[in-house]
């Protein structure tokens, strides 16, 4: 029952809806988490609380243990900073300061005691499993060195210090509380876990380094003032090496008498000494020479450590940039040696600039190769989850098949105007659009369709579904910068050998996509055919009407010719009648008028 109380309160206050896509993959971690049953009435109240404390065990890798370490580390830092200052500067043990320190000391001591008892319940791994048996945990802790260190750090020094103050009116420095420093190992453990958890470990190392350096300078400043006020020569023979006098010739406090000035001067001297920067007062007494020699040696060690650590940190900060810049420089030299055109050089340089701007400066295989295959697959699924959930081709696939495929996906970046594939090319890979926009174009450059995030193409030729076999059926061109996942044919076939039933599933999904993509094109072709047939019919009808008009024109001309011939016959007949009947001139004239 590890952290049962924490898990119970978390689950009742916030419950996240499970992701169906991730549930289908079933990596196994979720299957091990059992739902907590609600507590019955008899388990509530004191019984529940007692049961919780009797069976509670810290998981050393859990968040609650990390938060507990953070609280203990604050108490340790308080003792590391305040105790040397209180020993050196008497003013901090007077007035309101004293009350404040007493309260905080008691709180820190309580945290130390609680941590001592909590250490009996810190689990550990044995054969890969978390040991939660309290007897084994206690036995292991009592055999460790941390057990004796923690006992020494929780000694009731505050009671002894208060007893010493109650029996004297003189200043009693809290030297006895220096035993609290032995809890330092908890601060180290917290720092190690923070460095592993933080997303900027390099920055955290810088902060840790400067904290250690400031802490050592703070201790040296307190030690300098403590030695200056403890080992003091007579006033007339006072060494210029130690802290300046705090009283002037008239017996009044001068500017060096304030607590702030005391600490500022001591810290300045400590910084100047340990960094060996600037001129310092020359030692005069033997103890001053010994003290300065020790401080110089410590300062040299700290300075060397700081310089080396900062150098490593700066190198690590620019490691990716240096490797990336070396690749670009080598490529520039190669392009210059081969006399590559300026246009192509600019395109390649812009492509590198895009990679750097999008943090695509490292290969995923190099980062994930240290993880086992199971964790690699889980990491890849979670990183590419938003893209994979939009790919319809993978919706009905088995989880094992998806895990096998996701490890084979290769990231590729295409520049604006680049052709990912051309019609008629042999298809050896399929592509999934992670980010960007691409266009499916015809042979004349017309855009037939647009592909965006989650779209995929190339599976038709990869699975030999279409009528063109393994040939590309269209041109695909990148509109802007496009991030794609590439799945090679040999990787797909290797996965299909282990999951042969998935071949038909993928083919069926590809056929459905092909049918959906072909339906608008078929409708367009049908509309074009209808338009063509209508135009052909219109042309044929126009030709028929033209021919009918020509026939009608010929008929009219024929009738006109016949009428003309008839008129000539009538005129000839009139002349013959006139010769036979000359006396009927008038009647013939009237008849001719009527004829006309």
């Amino acid at each position: 029952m590890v952290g049962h109380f924490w898990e119970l309160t978390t689950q009742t206050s916030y419950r996240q809806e499970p992701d169906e896509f991730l549930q289908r993959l079933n990596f196994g971690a979720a299957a091990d988490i059992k739902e907590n049953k609600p507590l019955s009435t008899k388990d509530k109240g004191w019984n529940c609380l007692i049961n919780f404390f009797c069976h509670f065990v810290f998981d050393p890798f859990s968040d609650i243990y990390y938060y507990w370490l953070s609280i203990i580390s604050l108490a340790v830092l308080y003792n590391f900073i305040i105790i040397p200052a209180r020993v050196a500067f008497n003013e901090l043990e007077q007035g309101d300061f004293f009350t404040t320190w007493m309260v905080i000391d008691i709180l820190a001591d309580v945290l130390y005691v609680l941590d001592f008892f909590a250490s009996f319940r810190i689990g550990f791994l044995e054969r890969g499993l978390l040991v939660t048996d309290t007897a084994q945990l206690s036995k292991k802790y009592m055999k460790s060195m941390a057990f004796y260190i923690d006992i020494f750090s929780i000694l009731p020094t505050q009671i002894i210090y208060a007893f010493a103050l109650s029996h004297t009116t003189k200043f009693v420095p809290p030297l006895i509380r220096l035993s609290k420093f032995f809890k330092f190992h908890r601060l180290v453990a917290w720092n190690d876990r923070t460095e592993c958890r933080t997303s900027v470990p390099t920055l955290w190392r810088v902060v840790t380094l400067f904290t250690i350096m400031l802490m050592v300078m703070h201790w040296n400043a307190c030690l300098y003032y403590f030695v200056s006020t403890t080992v003091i020569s007579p006033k007339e023979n006072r060494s210029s090496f130690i802290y300046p006098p705090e009283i002037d010739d008239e017996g009044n406090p001068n500017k060096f008498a304030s607590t702030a000035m005391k600490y500022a001067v001591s810290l300045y001297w400590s910084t100047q000494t340990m960094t060996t920067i600037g001129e310092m007062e020359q030692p005069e007494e033997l103890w001053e020479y010994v003290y300065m020699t020790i401080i110089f040696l410590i300062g040299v060690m700290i300075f060397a450590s700081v310089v080396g650590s900062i150098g490593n940190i700066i190198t690590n900060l620019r490691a990716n940039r240096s490797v990336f810049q070396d690749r670009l420089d080598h490529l520039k030299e190669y392009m210059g040696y081969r006399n590559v055109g300026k246009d192509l050089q600019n395109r390649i340089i812009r492509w590198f600039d895009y990679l750097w701007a999008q943090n695509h400066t490292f290969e995923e295989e190099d980062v994930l190769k240290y993880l086992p295959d199971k964790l690699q697959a889980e990491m890849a699924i979670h990183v590419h989850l938003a893209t994979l959930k939009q790919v319809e081709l993978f919706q009905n696939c088995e989880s094992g098949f998806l895990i096998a495929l996701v490890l084979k996906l290769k990231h590729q970046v295409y520049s604006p105007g680049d052709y990912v594939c051309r019609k008629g090319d042999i298809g050896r890979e399929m592509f999934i659009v992670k980010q960007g926009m691409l266009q499916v174009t015809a042979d004349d450059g017309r855009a037939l369709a647009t592909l965006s995030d989650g779209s995929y193409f190339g599976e038709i030729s990869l699975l030999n579904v279409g009528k063109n076999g393994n040939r590309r059926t269209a041109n695909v061109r990148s509109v802007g910068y496009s991030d794609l996942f590439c799945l090679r044919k040999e990787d797909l076939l290797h996965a299909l050998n282990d999951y042969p039933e998935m071949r038909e599933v993928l083919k069926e999904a590809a056929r459905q996509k092909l049918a959906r993509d072909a339906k608008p094109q078929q409708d367009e072709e049908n509309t074009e055919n209808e338009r063509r047939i209508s135009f052909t019919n219109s042309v044929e009808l126009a030709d028929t009407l033209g021919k009918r008009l020509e026939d009608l024109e010929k008929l009219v001309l024929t009738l006109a010719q016949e009428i003309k011939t008839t008129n000539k016959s009538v005129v000839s007949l009139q002349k013959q009648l006139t010769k036979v009947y000359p006396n009927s001139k008038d009647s013939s004239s009237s008849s001719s008028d009527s004829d006309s």
Side-chain angles (χ1 to χ4, degrees):
M1 184 176 181
V2 182
H4 177 77
F5 183 77
W6 175 261
E7 294 175 0
L8 180 62
T9 55
T10 304
Q11 290 181 1
T12 54
S13 61
Y14 174 72
R15 187 178 299 276
Q16 184 179 4
E17 294 295 332
D19 192 295
E20 295 181 359
F21 191 82
L22 286 178
Q23 279 187 341
R24 260 193 325 111
L25 296 179
N26 189 19
F27 285 100
D32 296 335
I33 301 177
K34 299 181 180 179
E35 184 178 0
N36 291 318
K37 298 180 179 180
L39 295 175
S40 60
T41 306
K42 64 180 181 180
D43 291 333
K44 293 182 179 179
W46 289 105
N47 292 333
C48 177
L49 190 61
I50 295 174
N51 185 62
F52 165 71
F53 281 109
C54 290
H55 298 280
F56 178 80
V57 172
F58 271 119
D59 183 356
F61 306 103
S62 63
D63 292 337
I64 187 173
Y65 180 67
Y66 173 74
Y67 298 146
W68 175 252
L69 276 181
S70 303
I71 296 174
I72 299 300
S73 299
L74 290 177
V76 176
L77 278 176
Y78 160 77
N79 288 320
F80 266 78
I81 296 174
I82 300 301
I83 291 178
R86 291 166 60 186
V87 171
F89 303 97
N90 303 345
E91 295 85 349
L92 296 180
E93 287 291 300
Q94 300 173 2
D96 295 335
F97 286 113
F98 177 76
T99 305
T100 303
W101 303 139
M102 290 293 289
V103 173
I104 301 179
D105 287 346
I106 293 173
L107 291 176
D109 291 348
V110 170
L111 288 176
Y112 273 38
V113 173
L114 291 177
D115 183 67
F116 173 73
F117 288 107
S119 298
F120 285 92
R121 298 298 180 89
I122 298 178
F124 63 92
L125 294 178
E126 187 177 68
R127 298 179 181 178
L129 299 176
L130 181 65
V131 177
T132 58
D133 182 65
T134 55
Q136 294 186 33
L137 299 181
S138 301
K139 184 177 180 180
K140 183 178 185 302
Y141 175 60
M142 295 177 65
K143 288 184 177 181
S144 64
M145 182 61 66
F147 173 74
Y148 301 99
I149 295 176
D150 291 344
I151 287 180
F152 189 70
S153 64
I154 64 172
L155 292 176
T157 56
Q158 191 66 19
I159 299 176
I160 300 174
Y161 179 60
F163 180 79
L165 289 176
S166 62
H167 287 74
T168 182
T169 57
K170 298 181 180 180
F171 169 70
V172 179
L175 289 173
I176 194 172
R177 288 192 59 83
L178 293 178
S179 63
K180 304 300 178 182
F181 286 4
F182 286 90
K183 204 71 173 177
F184 178 69
H185 66 95
R186 302 296 274 171
L187 183 62
V188 174
W190 173 80
N191 179 71
D192 294 339
R193 281 169 170 76
T194 304
E195 185 175 344
C196 294
R197 285 170 171 258
T198 181
S199 58
V200 283
T202 303
L203 179 60
W204 180 254
R205 295 188 191 104
V206 173
V207 173
T208 303
L209 179 64
F210 274 95
T211 302
I212 295 174
M213 183 175 64
L214 292 176
M215 187 69 67
V216 174
M217 291 180 179
H218 168 73
W219 290 345
N220 187 31
C222 296
L223 180 61
Y224 167 74
Y225 184 80
F226 179 76
V227 171
S228 297
T229 55
T230 303
V231 186
I232 300 178
S233 302
K235 185 175 181 181
E236 59 274 6
N237 298 324
R238 187 181 181 90
S239 172
S240 60
F241 173 77
I242 62 177
Y243 188 80
E246 303 174 13
I247 301 176
D248 56 14
D249 297 336
E250 298 178 357
N252 298 322
N254 57 15
K255 63 179 181 178
F256 296 104
S258 65
T259 307
M261 180 61 73
K262 293 177 182 178
Y263 182 75
V265 172
S266 300
L267 185 61
Y268 174 78
W269 182 90
S270 174
T271 304
Q272 188 181 37
T273 305
M274 303 199 74
T275 57
T276 63
I277 298 175
E279 296 183 0
M280 294 173 292
E281 296 293 340
Q282 186 70 21
E284 298 180 3
E285 302 292 337
L286 175 62
W287 70 267
E288 294 176 357
Y289 279 102
V290 174
Y291 178 72
M292 282 298 298
T293 302
I294 297 174
I295 295 300
F296 276 148
L297 292 176
I298 297 175
V300 168
M301 294 175 60
I302 293 179
F303 185 75
S305 301
V306 169
V307 171
S309 300
I310 292 180
N312 292 332
I313 290 172
I314 294 176
T315 302
N316 293 333
L317 285 175
R318 294 188 53 85
N320 291 336
R321 181 62 184 179
S322 299
V323 174
F324 183 81
Q325 191 64 43
D326 289 341
R327 295 176 183 174
L328 181 58
D329 293 342
H330 292 327
L331 188 58
K332 287 180 179 179
E333 294 177 1
Y334 175 80
M335 291 188 297
Y337 177 74
R338 295 297 182 181
N339 297 323
V340 179
K342 287 294 183 181
D343 180 64
L344 181 57
Q345 290 189 26
N346 293 332
R347 288 176 56 196
I348 293 175
I349 293 175
R350 287 196 298 269
W351 182 80
F352 269 92
D353 291 339
Y354 174 78
L355 291 183
W356 178 256
Q358 298 297 321
N359 294 325
H360 296 326
T361 57
F362 52 85
E363 298 292 338
E364 292 186 0
E365 295 83 358
D366 297 337
V367 178
L368 302 178
K369 65 182 181 181
Y370 301 105
L371 298 176
D373 294 340
K374 193 73 172 180
L375 289 181
Q376 286 187 27
E378 189 170 357
M379 174 68 75
I381 285 290
H382 282 278
V383 170
H384 309 316
L385 177 63
T387 302
L388 294 177
K389 289 174 65 175
Q390 302 177 28
V391 179
E392 185 180 359
L393 189 66
F394 297 150
Q395 296 302 316
N396 298 322
C397 294
E398 293 183 8
S399 61
F401 181 70
L402 284 180
I403 294 173
L405 286 185
V406 76
L407 292 174
K408 303 297 183 181
L409 293 177
K410 308 297 182 182
H411 180 258
Q412 295 183 359
V413 178
Y414 288 86
S415 302
D418 288 349
Y419 277 90
V420 181
C421 60
R422 293 182 180 272
K423 185 177 180 180
D425 293 346
I426 297 177
R428 295 186 176 90
E429 59 274 320
M430 67 170 292
F431 299 92
I432 302 172
V433 182
K434 177 185 178 184
Q435 182 182 2
M437 182 177 295
L438 300 97
Q439 286 182 343
V440 181
T441 61
D443 295 334
D444 56 358
R446 292 184 299 108
L448 302 178
T450 301
L451 305 176
S452 58
D453 300 356
S455 301
Y456 59 95
F457 58 94
E459 78 287 351
I460 297 176
S461 58
L462 202 64
L463 298 172
N464 297 333
V465 176
K467 58 184 179 180
N468 296 323
N470 62 345
R471 296 281 182 175
R472 299 293 189 189
T473 59
N475 303 316
V476 180
R477 181 182 60 193
S478 177
V479 178
Y481 286 100
S482 302
D483 295 357
L484 308 179
F485 289 129
C486 175
L487 178 62
R488 295 182 300 177
K489 186 174 184 178
E490 52 267 26
D491 295 332
L492 177 62
L493 295 179
H494 181 73
L496 289 175
N497 290 334
D498 298 330
Y499 300 89
E501 64 278 2
M502 290 294 101
R503 185 185 300 271
E504 292 301 324
V505 175
L506 293 180
K507 285 188 176 182
E508 182 62 26
R511 291 192 191 99
Q512 294 178 2
K513 178 177 180 292
L514 183 61
R516 287 194 304 269
D517 295 343
K519 186 176 180 180
Q521 185 177 1
Q522 186 66 32
D523 294 341
E524 185 178 355
E525 291 179 356
N526 294 337
T527 304
E528 184 67 24
N529 292 334
E530 293 176 358
R531 191 182 300 110
R532 191 182 300 110
I533 293 173
S534 177
F535 178 75
T536 303
N537 293 336
S538 300
V539 172
E540 292 178 354
L541 180 60
D543 294 340
T544 304
L545 291 175
K547 292 180 180 178
R548 296 289 178 86
L549 289 175
E550 290 178 0
D551 294 341
L552 182 60
E553 184 178 1
K554 292 179 181 180
L555 180 60
V556 170
L557 292 176
T558 303
L559 291 175
Q561 189 67 27
E562 291 180 356
I563 292 173
K564 185 176 180 181
T565 305
T566 303
N567 288 336
K568 289 182 180 179
S569 300
V570 171
V571 172
S572 176
L573 182 59
Q574 287 179 350
K575 289 180 180 181
Q576 291 178 4
L577 290 175
T578 301
K579 290 181 181 180
V580 177
Y581 303 102
N583 295 328
S584 59
K585 182 178 180 179
D586 296 335
S587 61
S588 63
S589 298
S590 61
S591 63
S592 64
D593 292 336
S594 63
D595 294 337
S596 64

